[in-house]
Amino acid sequence: MLGRTGEAKGAIGAAAGIESPDRLVELLDRQAYLADEGLATAAFLALRMRRPLFLEGEAGVGKTELAKALAALLEAPLIRLQCYEGLDAAQALYDWDFARQLLHLKAAEAAGVTDVGRLEGEIYDRRFLIARPLLKALETGPSVLLVDEIDRADDEFEAFLLEVLSDYTISIPELGTVRATTPPVVVVTSNRTREVHDALKRRCLYHWLEHPGFDREVAILLRRLPDCTETLAAQVARAAARLRGAGLVKPPGVAETLDWTEALLTLGAKELDPDRAAATLGAALKYREDVESVLSRGLLRHE
């Protein structure tokens, strides 16, 4: 069994000190993350019940940022597993450092070591093991494990992840079983490019993240960008809401409205005039078809 119990107790104490969703909202606000009541409740329950939190929603609505904010307020390292097509268990778990093992064998040979059993035991020592995100999360107590964009991974990896999250153990044939002393706080995200299997969702607490409403988006812009005026924040939030209702290929999320506002501030803008909005539109929209559609329809000229 691997893990650092002293640090683990610190994580438990931090989580236990969050006595309500409202308190979690306050603590997240200190990390510049503005959570609504529904999201704060889901995250609070995940912490208290020690269950993975499955966050689904459009790209850019704040799923990954929540994991970062939780890691900061719990004073725990954020360990990120970025999913992609073809990701397999070995890439997420561990790998052996073959180069170092070979050097060790050559050094042993030069020293005249001929005991095959001894050499075999030495090259499969823990010091030659490279921990990938899942193993690192189990060995690090406390930690926040972010499994980002699980919808990009294959069905086989989903099944494997479910097995790991069921008991927070990993079997390494050469070394034995690794069990988390304190299970990591787990945040699983999906942009819903495909449906994730029910078995994985049932293991987690589920929450769908919507794009923020007008007032909350203005608050986010002002919180994250102190140089932003209320006028500019309100105008950008209204423009972003129009773009989200325009049937675009990829409407802007909160991440894009932050980038857009920062671009405008960099150019010295105090308010969102149509010409400057068009010039900086690439900060908010990432598809040529969307940019052309917005400009041709004059969506930036409406107040």
Side-chain angles (χ1 to χ4, degrees), residues 129-242:
L129 192 71
I130 302 173
R132 302 303 184 192
L134 291 182
L135 177 58
K136 189 180 297 184
L138 297 192
E139 289 186 313
T140 305
S143 65
V144 175
L145 172 63
L146 169 62
V147 182
D148 217 3
E149 299 183 328
I150 186 63
D151 52 318
R152 295 184 180 274
D154 302 326
D155 293 349
E156 292 79 6
F157 183 77
E158 257 189 64
F160 161 73
L161 180 64
L162 177 63
E163 181 180 350
V164 173
L165 297 183
S166 294
D167 54 11
Y168 296 102
T169 61
I170 291 172
S171 178
I172 302 175
E174 299 86 354
L175 295 178
T177 299
V178 178
R179 185 184 306 276
T181 301
T182 299
V185 175
V186 180
V187 178
V188 183
T189 75
S190 169
N191 294 336
R192 209 172 188 178
T193 58
R194 69 169 178 84
E195 287 294 335
V196 175
H197 288 192
D198 288 343
L200 180 59
K201 285 186 175 181
R202 285 198 301 270
R203 179 68 185 82
C204 307
L205 297 178
Y206 176 87
H207 186 77
W208 173 269
L209 262 71
E210 298 279 1
H211 289 292
F214 172 77
D215 290 339
R216 194 160 72 90
E217 187 148 29
V218 170
I220 291 171
L221 293 174
L222 294 175
R223 184 74 172 81
R224 297 292 293 270
L225 301 169
D227 294 334
C228 183
T229 65
E230 290 190 21
T231 298
L232 179 60
Q235 290 174 334
V236 171
R238 289 193 189 97
R242 287 199 301 273

Side-chain angles (χ1 to χ4, degrees), residues 20-158:
S20 68
D22 288 341
R23 176 59 176 161
L24 182 56
V25 169
E26 294 176 11
L27 293 174
L28 289 172
D29 179 69
R30 295 179 186 177
Q31 306 301 325
Y33 189 96
L34 304 185
D36 61 21
E37 182 181 358
L39 178 57
T41 301
F44 170 77
L45 292 174
L47 289 171
R48 281 299 182 88
M49 297 169 65
R50 298 189 186 181
R51 295 278 296 279
L53 178 61
F54 190 102
L55 299 177
E56 203 164 42
E58 305 245 355
V61 294
K63 302 184 295 296
T64 299
E65 289 300 315
L66 176 65
K68 294 178 180 178
L70 287 174
L73 73 87
L74 292 173
E75 299 182 348
L78 176 70
I79 300 173
R80 181 172 183 169
L81 173 60
Q82 180 62 52
C83 298
Y84 53 87
E85 186 177 355
L87 176 67
D88 60 26
Q91 293 163 318
L93 275 177
Y94 66 88
D95 201 355
W96 290 103
D97 191 336
F98 296 117
R100 288 189 63 203
Q101 287 175 318
L102 183 59
L103 286 174
H104 180 77
L105 288 176
K106 288 183 176 180
E109 182 182 3
V113 177
T114 58
D115 187 336
V116 176
R118 171 187 165 187
L119 287 174
E120 184 175 339
E122 288 179 349
I123 64 171
Y124 287 110
D125 186 77
R126 177 63 183 83
R127 60 190 165 132
F128 296 118
L129 192 71
I130 302 173
R132 302 303 184 192
L134 291 182
L135 177 58
K136 189 180 297 184
L138 297 192
E139 289 186 313
T140 305
S143 65
V144 175
L145 172 63
L146 169 62
V147 182
D148 217 3
E149 299 183 328
I150 186 63
D151 52 318
R152 295 184 180 274
D154 302 326
D155 293 349
E156 292 79 6
F157 183 77
E158 257 189 64

